Amino acid sequence: MQENNTITFIFLAILLLLIIIICFLMYQLMQFKKAKDDAEKSFYALEMKVNDLQLETLESKLNPHLFKNILNSIQSHAYQTYFALDKLANVLDYILYESKKKFVTAKEEIDFALNLIEINKIKISPLFELKIKTNINKEDKLYDQPLLAPLISIDLIENAFKHADLQSADAFISVVFEFRDNAFFMTVSNKISDKKVLKKERSGFGHATLEHRLRIIYKNNFKLDKFVENDVYIAHLKIDLLEYKTEMLASGR
């Protein structure tokens, strides 16, 4: 009799354990389904934003097709979906709303650029060397003043990811943002993928639009240096915001 009770107890314990496991698995399945549904809703909401995206050619070379490609990349990397969609939402909001302003603060532009870099990271191997550095003097009086043209960082970042060597063991992309002495600095460097691209990039690296835009807005208060050194392409941008603001005030703009 006691043996039967023991067997019955063990049976009930196993049954209870199985029920708990089944309930846990069902809960996990429901959570996964909810997460999947939320991700799909976010994905389609962002796709609608991309379809509505309208940008002036001179203001930016950003193309809605670029974002559709990014969305496809995000969808094919489910483990990064939430993080990447969140970053993409921030980027699209900035482009759709903040870029309509004539000027933004350096903080806003740098935050946008960092989000754009995070999105591009999904297209490269986790082992690829991507170095991001910020050296910001937040006490600088011009750091929080709207003096920087929005989307000014796009060209340098996009070209780095487009033309970088993603295969070699010593390949890398480096992006450095600085704000000091009332000036905005941005330095982007990457190992170039092959000699054909190297020859092409010596002739301009596709920055004609950026340089034209800088010249229209900042006149002589910027400097954009582009050069190749040992198969590494380097672009360095400096915008002297104090001089620019002084000229604006003097001209009554």
Side-chain angles (χ1 to χ4, degrees):
M1 182 70 177
Q2 185 176 0
E3 183 178 346
N4 287 338
N5 290 338
T6 302
I7 292 173
T8 301
F9 176 77
I10 293 173
F11 174 77
L12 291 173
I14 293 173
L15 184 62
L16 179 62
L17 181 62
L18 286 173
I19 292 173
I20 292 172
I21 291 173
I22 290 171
C23 289
F24 176 75
L25 291 175
M26 289 181 64
Y27 174 77
Q28 289 291 95
L29 185 61
M30 290 173 62
Q31 289 296 103
F32 176 77
K33 185 176 183 304
K34 182 178 181 301
K36 182 174 178 291
D37 290 343
D38 290 343
E40 286 180 354
K41 286 179 183 177
S42 297
F43 177 85
Y44 290 120
L46 287 169
E47 191 169 40
M48 290 295 292
K49 277 191 178 182
V50 170
N51 290 335
D52 293 336
L53 186 62
Q54 298 294 328
L55 293 173
E56 294 293 334
T57 303
L58 185 59
E59 287 299 308
S60 170
K61 294 195 303 179
L62 268 181
N63 189 309
H65 294 295
L66 166 69
F67 283 99
K68 287 187 177 180
N69 291 335
I70 292 173
L71 283 171
N72 290 333
S73 296
I74 291 172
Q75 198 174 34
S76 66
H77 293 75
Y79 64 96
Q80 290 180 334
T81 295
Y82 291 120
F83 180 76
L85 286 176
D86 179 61
K87 298 299 180 184
L88 183 56
N90 292 337
V91 165
L92 285 175
D93 283 342
Y94 186 87
I95 293 169
L96 289 170
Y97 307 116
E98 300 303 318
S99 67
K100 292 179 180 178
K101 300 176 181 177
K102 186 174 182 180
F103 295 106
V104 295
T105 68
K107 180 184 184 306
E108 290 171 326
E109 179 67 14
I110 292 172
D111 286 345
F112 158 74
L114 293 175
N115 281 324
L116 186 62
I117 291 169
E118 288 297 328
I119 293 170
N120 276 282
K121 279 173 65 175
I122 201 170
K123 299 184 291 185
I124 61 177
S125 165
L127 301 178
F128 183 83
E129 187 176 6
L130 176 62
K131 299 178 284 188
I132 310 298
K133 182 179 178 182
T134 57
N135 179 21
I136 308 296
N137 178 14
K138 295 182 180 180
E139 302 302 317
D140 195 310
K141 61 184 180 180
L142 296 186
Y143 180 62
D144 290 317
Q145 293 189 25
L147 293 168
L148 207 57
L151 309 176
I152 209 75
S153 57
I154 284 178
D155 286 272
L156 300 182
I157 292 171
E158 284 189 2
N159 276 286
F161 280 94
K162 181 179 179 181
H163 297 284
D165 182 351
L166 302 179
Q167 305 300 325
S168 302
D170 60 344
F172 73 93
I173 294 174
S174 171
V175 184
V176 179
F177 298 99
E178 296 181 85
F179 198 94
R180 52 183 169 80
D181 302 325
N182 299 303
F184 170 80
F185 301 84
M186 182 178 179
T187 304
V188 181
S189 56
N190 61 271
K191 189 171 189 301
I192 302 173
S193 58
D194 55 49
K195 297 297 181 182
K196 183 177 180 181
V197 174
L198 176 61
K199 182 178 180 180
K200 179 182 176 182
E201 304 314 29
R202 286 183 190 278
S203 64
F205 205 59
H207 291 165
T209 302
L210 171 62
E211 193 155 5
H212 181 51
R213 187 177 177 216
L214 287 166
R215 199 167 299 284
I216 290 174
I217 299 170
Y218 294 105
K219 310 300 185 210
N220 297 318
N221 298 312
F222 81 95
K223 187 176 183 183
L224 179 61
D225 293 320
K226 300 167 288 184
F227 57 93
V228 175
E229 189 174 283
N230 298 323
D231 289 354
V232 173
Y233 182 89
I234 302 169
H236 179 71
L237 171 64
K238 175 187 176 183
I239 303 176
D240 191 330
L241 297 179
L242 181 59
E243 287 296 322
Y244 177 66
K245 182 178 180 180
T246 302
E247 289 187 8
M248 283 180 63
L249 293 173
S251 62
R253 286 182 286 169

